[in-house]
Amino acid sequence: MLMEKFPSWPWFRKAFTRPDLGFRNRMRPADVSCSRCRSGVWVHDTQSYSSRMAGSFFKGRILSLFDYKTEKYIIAKNKKVGVLYRLIQLSIIGYIIGWVFVSKKGYQETDTAIQSSVITKLKGVSTPNQKLGYCAESPKVLDGHCRDDEDCEEEKMVIAGNGIKSGRCLRKDENSTGTCEIYGWCPIERKFKPRKPLLLNAENFTIYIKNFILFPKFQFSKSNVLETSDDSFLKKCRFDEQLYPYCPIFRLGDITRRAGYNFQDMATFGGSIGLLIEWDCDLDKGYSNCNPHYHFTRLDVSNNSISTGFNFRHTRYFKNAAGESYRSLFKVYGVRFNIMVHGKAGMFSIIPTAINVGSGLALMGAGAFFCDMILLYLMKKSDSYRERKFEGPK
């Protein structure tokens, strides 16, 4: 036997006794004379052996990628960590149920789309029968002041004024300061400030606010007007949160009161009211649970009394019998309404529900990971726990 013939060759014994490598793969005959063999000697092929060992190593690494590793559960008799883990679980469950699903309705898919319209009525004062021609600029316009004709450059626009300079300075006498003559609509606008409330009787005026909304994702539409066949409903109703929530007619005095002000505060110089219509619709509860909510606020409140109130100007043009053009300039004081509409509709959908449930499960896993870190690195018996936790195959 070869084992008996070459007992002093340890490499031979090792190669021969490994059935996985095979005898022929490790030995080959060589024509070298030897005193201990008859026809030849078996020589170890070291290069072939090394390459095969490297191949076996990489093969093992690649095959290890397909190994399945399972978690090992260990019951740790530690009351402190156990109580901490349950508190984390309860907190996560409370957050998912209370905040995500109940408060924020995380099980719903949402959509928004808004349309609105408004009608208002105002009162004011006017400067009638203005005609294109030459007249003196207002003394309240600083750029129109002059001492002589050189201060009134011809065909130059008066800054914050009412027309174009003609080149003449109009003065009462040689020692006084005058104003430039302008070409524009004459007589110029009177700087008028109301001395008494112009809107004194407007407190009982009504404003009609009709609002339509549409949520195209759900093909859901609604308005803030009651769906009724009674033609006289809009003539006799006034908005009331309890009695007539779907009446779009608001009393002007009620609007200012809801904004926190008295209407008489705006009766002289007018004002600006912000109206927010908010639709928060849970379509899972049905059509009747989608209702408008109104919020009012005054927007023109300022410490600077110059900017308080609201007014604007508009004109009406006409011609006399001789064909001359005239106009009437109106400076109108009133109440301006700025309508802002916000809305959100939600309906159950499996996609956001699955996402939020998955997020909750991930948070539960984070709680377990946190408690594991405490047991592995912060406890007195952490070494023993690590040995049991990461026990390898035998």
Side-chain angles (χ1 to χ4, degrees):
M1 297 296 292
L2 292 175
M3 290 290 295
E4 297 176 355
K5 189 174 183 179
F6 305 106
S8 61
W9 294 1
W11 59 267
F12 180 85
R13 181 180 298 274
K14 183 177 181 181
F16 186 80
T17 56
R18 289 189 60 182
D20 59 325
L21 298 179
F23 178 79
R24 292 185 178 181
N25 292 334
R26 293 289 172 255
M27 311 294 294
R28 70 177 184 180
D31 296 333
V32 180
S33 60
C34 178
S35 60
R36 300 187 62 180
C37 59
R38 297 179 180 177
S39 60
V41 62
W42 293 92
V43 180
H44 182 216
D45 190 348
T46 57
Q47 183 177 2
S48 175
Y49 178 77
S50 300
S51 62
R52 290 184 179 276
M53 287 296 291
S56 177
F57 172 79
F58 287 111
K59 181 179 179 181
R61 287 292 184 181
I62 294 174
L63 292 177
S64 67
L65 296 176
F66 301 97
D67 293 341
Y68 174 72
K69 299 177 181 178
T70 183
E71 292 186 10
K72 183 177 182 180
Y73 293 95
I74 299 175
I75 299 177
K77 299 293 185 178
N78 191 305
K79 301 300 181 184
K80 294 181 180 180
V81 177
V83 171
L84 176 62
Y85 181 57
R86 296 307 176 192
L87 289 176
I88 293 175
Q89 283 184 322
L90 290 175
S91 300
I92 294 173
I93 293 173
Y95 166 76
I96 296 298
I97 296 177
W99 177 257
V100 176
F101 286 110
V102 176
S103 179
K104 294 300 181 180
K105 298 179 181 178
Y107 56 89
Q108 290 184 336
E109 187 178 9
T110 60
D111 185 27
T112 59
I114 302 298
Q115 296 178 359
S116 64
S117 61
V118 64
I119 300 174
T120 61
K121 292 185 178 181
L122 304 172
K123 284 189 174 182
V125 296
S126 65
T127 304
N129 299 326
Q130 286 185 314
K131 178 183 177 181
L132 282 174
Y134 293 92
C135 57
E137 180 60 276
S138 170
K140 294 184 178 181
V141 178
L142 297 180
D143 191 50
H145 292 181
C146 62
R147 300 285 297 181
D148 51 44
D149 293 345
E150 294 181 356
D151 295 333
C152 301
E153 184 179 348
E154 189 175 358
E155 296 185 356
K156 183 178 180 181
M157 191 72 183
V158 181
I159 299 175
N162 297 280
I164 301 174
K165 296 177 181 179
S166 66
R168 294 178 57 194
C169 181
L170 304 179
R171 297 179 297 171
K172 293 182 179 180
D173 53 62
E174 295 181 356
N175 297 324
S176 63
T177 300
T179 58
C180 294
E181 183 184 58
I182 63 168
Y183 178 78
W185 289 99
C186 299
I188 61 173
E189 177 188 356
R190 294 179 297 151
K191 298 298 181 180
F192 174 81
K193 282 191 175 182
R195 296 182 179 179
K196 61 179 181 179
L198 299 175
L199 304 174
L200 186 62
N201 298 321
E203 186 172 1
N204 292 320
F205 286 6
T206 58
I207 177 173
Y208 177 68
I209 302 175
K210 192 174 184 179
N211 177 223
F212 292 93
I213 62 167
L214 171 67
F215 298 104
K217 182 179 291 186
F218 307 120
Q219 292 299 310
F220 179 88
S221 62
K222 198 172 184 179
S223 73
N224 64 336
V225 182
L226 182 67
E227 296 181 358
T228 178
S229 58
D230 185 3
D231 296 335
S232 63
F233 174 74
L234 294 178
K235 296 179 181 179
K236 62 184 180 181
C237 77
R238 296 293 181 269
F239 173 79
D240 185 273
E241 292 181 352
Q242 302 297 329
L243 299 177
Y244 298 105
Y246 276 88
C247 178
I249 299 176
F250 297 80
R251 181 174 168 270
L252 207 55
D254 293 338
I255 291 177
T256 55
R257 179 176 53 81
R258 291 173 183 272
Y261 291 87
N262 191 318
F263 181 80
Q264 299 304 320
D265 297 338
M266 297 188 297
T268 303
F269 296 105
S272 180
I273 297 291
L275 169 58
L276 172 63
I277 306 176
E278 188 173 13
W279 297 80
D280 190 0
C281 302
D282 187 351
L283 301 184
D284 293 327
K285 296 181 179 179
Y287 183 86
S288 60
N289 282 277
C290 182
N291 301 314
H293 299 278
Y294 301 91
H295 307 277
F296 302 91
T297 183
R298 186 173 178 181
L299 303 177
D300 65 305
V301 178
S302 174
N303 294 328
N304 185 359
S305 60
I306 297 177
S307 61
T308 301
F310 171 75
N311 64 78
F312 67 94
R313 295 168 176 81
H314 73 92
T315 57
R316 291 179 182 175
Y317 295 88
F318 56 91
K319 291 184 178 181
N320 60 9
E324 296 177 317
S325 295
Y326 289 84
R327 77 172 187 178
S328 293
L329 175 64
F330 296 87
K331 184 177 182 180
V332 181
Y333 292 86
V335 180
R336 177 185 178 91
F337 291 91
N338 298 275
I339 309 298
M340 298 162 284
V341 183
H342 293 171
K344 181 180 71 173
M347 182 178 289
F348 174 79
S349 176
I350 191 62
I351 295 177
T353 303
I355 291 174
N356 286 308
V357 170
S359 300
L361 294 177
L363 289 175
M364 298 286 281
F369 175 79
F370 178 73
C371 292
D372 273 351
M373 292 299 101
I374 294 177
L375 288 172
L376 287 171
Y377 301 106
L378 300 179
M379 304 301 294
K380 294 181 179 180
K381 298 181 179 180
S382 59
D383 293 337
S384 176
Y385 181 77
R386 279 198 298 271
E387 291 178 0
R388 294 175 179 271
K389 179 72 174 177
F390 302 112
E391 182 179 356
K394 296 181 180 179

